[in-house]
Amino acid sequence: MTENLVLGKKIAEGKTKIVYESTNANEVILEFKDDITAGDGLKHDVIPGKGYLNCAISAKLFEVLESAGVPTHFIKYIPPNYLIVRKVTMLPVEIVCRNIAAGHLLQRFPVKAGDPLNPPLVEFFLKDDELHDPMLNDMHMAYLKLANRDECDEIRKITLQVNDALKEFFASKGIILVDFKIEVGRDGSGRFLVSDEINGDSCRLWAETEKGKIFDKDVYRKGGSLEEVKNVYVTLYKKLIGQEPKY
Ligand code: TMP
Ligand code: ASP
């Protein structure tokens, strides 16, 4: 067990993370698993070291957001694969922000792959694997008591701040932020904090100079070997953290 880390009771387990209570009632501990899934969990594998790489990358990206003044749940990274985070009430919504047309957008709307989306497109999806994460508009959000109209505006505003900060950071590493998914939670005073994780599982990342080169989970979604997928996560780690992985 990692030094100085006391894991409390398991609160929840998802496809790629476990949430534990902490000794501090205002915090929880996230453990990043080596599991990788796609197709709402239909495709599933385990890649040793993936939890570490994604946890370290998430910690780095949360630090980037905090420096840009975006409120997040991040408190501390405990290597290899734990984050100490503020306890929030998670909104069961995936918030997607798109700068370039790719992925599911192409199946739903008459847009061409690779077309720039200006201004960026922000979409809400209900987190429900069985229903395949249906898209939500502001009225669905209010009807399902997820967020009222003003809160939807607030979430979009935060998402665009995340986009600005991450786009700039990735650009400094020669990477184009095509799109990403975030989740938010409410803290004790009802304020939204960017929560969950942000890494190659939840972003589309394209090389600025090498056409067709990507640094994200699409390699897995599109059937790449587990070795290829692991290499992508290692490459992303090296580009963002600027050193060799330690574990
Ligand atoms: P999409 O084009 O499949 O809707 O994906 C948009 C972005 O959201 C992409 O960067 C991948 C990310 N994403 C997740 O993090 N989790 C998901 O379950 C899905 C469907 C997408
Ligand atoms: N996150 C979803 C899953 O694990 C889908 C995806 O990322 O493509 O199944």
Side-chain angles (χ1 to χ4, degrees):
M1 177 53 57
T2 307
E3 249 181 280
N4 300 330
L5 185 70
V6 182
L7 292 182
K9 217 174 73 199
K10 191 199 271 195
I11 301 172
E13 178 161 3
K15 287 177 287 199
T16 58
K17 290 188 300 302
I18 303 175
V19 187
Y20 295 96
E21 279 179 357
S22 156
T23 44
N24 181 331
N26 298 318
E27 301 173 354
V28 294
I29 301 166
L30 303 184
E31 177 182 319
F32 284 62
K33 305 196 289 187
D34 286 338
D35 300 65
I36 182 164
T37 71
D40 300 325
L42 275 181
K43 182 171 158 140
H44 172 230
D45 287 283
V46 174
I47 302 178
K50 185 250 183 189
Y52 154 58
L53 296 165
N54 268 7
C55 186
I57 290 169
S58 289
K60 176 75 194 174
L61 296 178
F62 278 122
E63 279 167 8
V64 168
L65 294 182
E66 288 282 339
S67 307
V70 181
T72 83
H73 70 159
F74 179 73
I75 296 175
K76 192 167 184 222
Y77 172 42
I78 310 277
N81 59 331
Y82 294 95
L83 293 188
I84 301 186
V85 299
R86 289 180 187 86
K87 192 179 205 166
V88 295
T89 306
M90 291 298 294
L91 196 67
V93 172
E94 300 202 335
I95 305 143
V96 169
C97 180
R98 303 176 189 274
N99 294 306
I100 295 176
H104 278 111
L105 189 75
L106 309 177
Q107 295 167 14
R108 288 193 310 256
F109 298 103
V111 288
K112 232 176 70 236
D115 272 0
L117 302 165
N118 207 355
L121 199 57
V122 179
E123 303 171 323
F124 299 139
F125 298 91
L126 183 66
K127 269 174 78 88
D128 187 319
D129 280 346
E130 272 176 40
L131 293 177
H132 299 294
D133 297 355
M135 197 195 276
L136 302 162
N137 65 25
D138 288 17
M139 292 178 81
H140 297 117
M141 292 278 272
Y143 177 70
L144 296 172
K145 298 198 171 21
L146 295 165
N148 63 34
R149 295 276 182 100
D150 287 345
E151 289 175 323
C152 288
D153 283 338
E154 174 66 14
I155 296 168
R156 271 187 289 270
K157 194 175 121 202
I158 293 171
T159 304
L160 292 171
Q161 286 169 350
V162 170
N163 190 40
D164 286 343
L166 293 186
K167 228 171 39 181
E168 187 185 329
F169 175 69
F170 282 118
S172 74
K173 309 289 178 188
I175 295 173
I176 299 168
L177 177 60
V178 174
D179 57 31
F180 63 91
K181 182 269 302 180
I182 53 167
E183 296 182 25
V184 297
R186 290 180 175 91
D187 70 7
S189 60
R191 190 170 77 128
F192 286 114
L193 303 184
V194 179
S195 301
D196 192 55
E197 62 183 304
I198 312 176
N199 48 49
D201 275 8
S202 59
C203 302
R204 279 199 177 87
L205 302 167
W206 295 354
E208 220 163 60
T209 48
E210 238 178 298
K211 200 170 157 42
K213 180 134 185 77
I214 65 176
F215 305 112
D216 64 70
K217 196 169 97 174
D218 267 353
V219 174
Y220 178 73
R221 294 191 187 98
K222 291 176 176 165
S225 73
L226 296 186
E227 198 189 339
E228 282 170 317
V229 178
K230 172 85 185 257
N231 283 339
V232 161
Y233 287 100
V234 169
T235 305
L236 186 62
Y237 177 99
K238 288 200 272 196
K239 279 185 179 290
L240 301 188
I241 316 278
Q243 59 189 43
E244 292 292 321
K246 291 196 179 126
Y247 297 91

